[in-house]
Amino acid sequence: MAYVITQRCCNDASCVAECPVDCIRPRPEDPQFTTAEMLYIDPDTCIDCGACYEACPVDAIYAEEDLPAHLDGFRDVNAGWFAKHPLEPDMSPPPPVQRLAKDLGTLRVAIVGTGPAACYAAEQLLGAGSVEVEMFDRLPTPWGLARYGVAPDHAQTRGVTEMFTAAFKRDTLQMYLNTEVGAHISHAELRESAHAVVYAVGAPADRRLDIPGEELPGSHSATEFVAWYNGNPDYADREFDLSGERAVIVGNGNVALDIARMLTMDPDELARTDIADHALAALRRSEIREVVIIGRRGVLQAAYSAPEFRALGRLSGIDIAIDPADVVLDEAAQEFLDGPEAPYELGLKIAAAGEYASRPPREGHKRIRFQYCISPTEITGEDRVRSVRYVRNELTGPAGSPTARPTTDSGELEASLVVRAVGYRGQPIGDLPFDDRRGVLPTESGRVVDAAGLPVPGVYAAGWIKRGPRGVIGSNRADAAETVAAILADFRAGALPAPIRDRAALLDLVRQRQPDMLDRTAWQAVDRAERAAGAATDRPRVKLATAEQLLATARRG
């Protein structure tokens, strides 16, 4: 028997280092790792030891005999990866962790952000020896997108936060929540309080469509909608008109799929998750029967991952509709799909699309419909959204990455709600260098660099603000490792001036500026209250969704 990795894989590769026979691929050092949508276990090499099962932070690994029926197909999915990429085991031991020498003293690092990238960086820093970490977040809660970006029906994916909680129990790490860098404390003051400052603030802004009607009521960004249903206090008061029968989502990545599920799933199923209560109440009143997901290129180039796309077919009471013509590949596309350059997951996506295209509609079911090779040109309506006008595209160029060129063929979709899910981008941070084209801090090996390519002393970046909005939660682990390696190297080289403000002075400064600062103990009080409320209603937790509720609960302890 063997172990099997399934849909919830977070790609953080915790399991890879634990495997005694090196049968999990791709590894962080493998060329396929940056594009892989999940990891895979070779069934012919696995010795059924269970080490990977114990290491997985999101419960994505099962013993083959324990696979739930709805995940049974992942047995073949794992085996299929090794049919395309035969295993060549490397049994050499991993290099030892290079801990800091004691005579260097204590390294102090301030991390701005508490999402996955920030937490992976903090975890790795704490494992390097004598290190103290101060983490800052402008929200009253930690975990960033792990709390406010993961869809409520993917509760196991949030399990990565349990790993961080266990790693952050010691006083070597302190949290400054409800504290905004740039408002309550300046970048310069942070630099005076630590050897190094790491910005791991994500990509909070959304990309625009830049078409007429984008600002009409009823047209929203995915940022707003996702934060709303996940209970982000910045968005708790938002309202979305769900009174029409159709919603249109522009963009076809995993976020688009998340939103489509939230709009079509049975509210009684959602009621067993940690979805925000205000969102659940609104979705119970929703009249939406169809969600149309539109993308400017073809089925072969869709950005959603194979596991998430395949999982749509298991939704209860929902049809997945695709035009059979969209699944017919021309000779060039089929040649690319069959060739060595095509990612393994691409074949899985095409197979799933073909299966959906062959399914007849069922009476009484809601529907998620995919339309490929179309681009929106206008959102119409006088006082609010009424429809989305579009043009059809033809694809030219290489089959793996073609260009979408508009044609004269056009159409229109009536809709009362439009959500643009075409990507995120970072925002400038104070006076730090910023690459406006890419929406990131310019970096080299995690070091923020100026216009001349020279490192800004003591300033680093990790996560989406460093590499752009791509990858899943676990992708941040290797990304953070690169940044941490740069910090440790610079500290060993004596390139980081010692801070002039100690930890106690930093705490005093922040408390003077922000009396409502919440520390780790305050967050633990919120966490206990949310879990207790969830236990009373058979839910993982009931989120406190306003700043007032969060602060009041933290004060009560």
Side-chain angles (χ1 to χ4, degrees), residues 222-262:
T223 301
E224 295 176 81
F225 197 75
V226 171
W228 171 74
Y229 66 60
N230 271 321
N232 185 317
D234 286 349
Y235 296 87
D237 61 349
R238 299 298 170 92
E239 295 184 359
F240 299 88
D241 184 357
L242 308 178
S243 62
E245 291 194 356
R246 179 186 290 143
V248 170
I249 302 174
V250 184
N252 56 15
N254 283 346
V255 173
L257 269 56
D258 289 344
I259 295 170
R261 293 198 315 277
M262 294 302 103

Side-chain angles (χ1 to χ4, degrees), residues 9-183:
C9 177
C10 72
N11 281 42
D12 89 339
S14 296
C15 56
V16 173
E18 300 301 321
C19 178
V21 293
D22 190 37
C23 72
I24 303 176
R25 292 291 188 277
R27 302 164 299 184
E29 63 269 25
D30 293 335
Q32 300 91 352
F33 185 79
T34 56
T35 58
E37 296 174 351
M38 58 177 284
L39 306 183
Y40 307 91
I41 294 174
D42 180 15
D44 294 331
T45 308
C46 176
I47 60 173
D48 201 27
C49 70
C52 58
Y53 171 85
E54 297 293 339
C56 181
V58 293
D59 298 330
I61 301 178
Y62 292 82
E64 189 175 4
E65 63 269 25
D66 295 332
L67 267 176
H70 70 280
L71 297 176
D72 189 67
F74 280 93
R75 182 185 287 105
D76 293 336
V77 167
N78 278 245
W81 198 90
F82 292 94
K84 184 177 179 71
H85 304 284
L87 183 66
E88 296 179 4
D90 177 6
M91 301 304 293
S92 59
V97 176
Q98 295 296 314
R99 293 173 63 85
L100 293 172
K102 291 183 179 180
D103 60 2
L104 290 174
T106 298
L107 168 65
R108 291 181 56 203
V109 180
I111 301 179
V112 185
T114 61
C119 289
Y120 278 118
E123 179 191 37
Q124 292 166 23
L125 282 165
L126 294 174
S130 183
V131 180
E132 294 175 345
V133 175
E134 329 289 339
M135 299 187 77
F136 291 80
D137 202 303
R138 65 178 186 82
L139 291 176
T141 58
W143 314 140
L145 286 183
R147 177 177 170 96
Y148 294 125
V150 175
D153 61 331
H154 284 16
Q156 292 87 347
T157 304
R158 300 188 201 275
V160 70
T161 63
E162 303 296 333
M163 179 178 70
F164 298 140
T165 298
F168 297 165
K169 288 182 177 179
R170 295 173 294 161
D171 288 340
T172 47
L173 181 139
Q174 299 291 344
M175 285 186 175
Y176 292 78
L177 306 175
N178 205 37
T179 304
E180 186 172 357
V181 174

Side-chain angles (χ1 to χ4, degrees), residues 15 95 103 231 313 365 371 442 514:
C15 56
D103 60 2
H365 279 212
Q371 288 195 213
Q514 170 56 315

Side-chain angles (χ1 to χ4, degrees), residues 467-507:
R467 70 180 188 276
R470 62 181 186 273
V472 293
I473 283 178
S475 306
N476 292 294
R477 191 171 190 241
D479 177 284
E482 179 186 56
T483 299
V484 168
I487 295 171
L488 298 180
D490 292 347
F491 184 60
R492 290 189 180 100
L496 301 178
I500 63 174
R501 184 180 291 109
D502 63 20
R503 296 188 98 188
L506 174 62
L507 179 61

Side-chain angles (χ1 to χ4, degrees), residues 378-408:
E378 181 182 4
I379 299 173
T380 73
E382 294 182 2
D383 56 348
R384 61 163 301 97
V385 169
R386 294 287 178 258
S387 71
V388 177
R389 291 177 180 159
Y390 62 85
V391 296
R392 298 190 184 278
N393 299 322
E394 65 174 355
L395 303 182
T396 61
S401 182
T403 299
R405 299 189 182 280
T407 69
T408 57

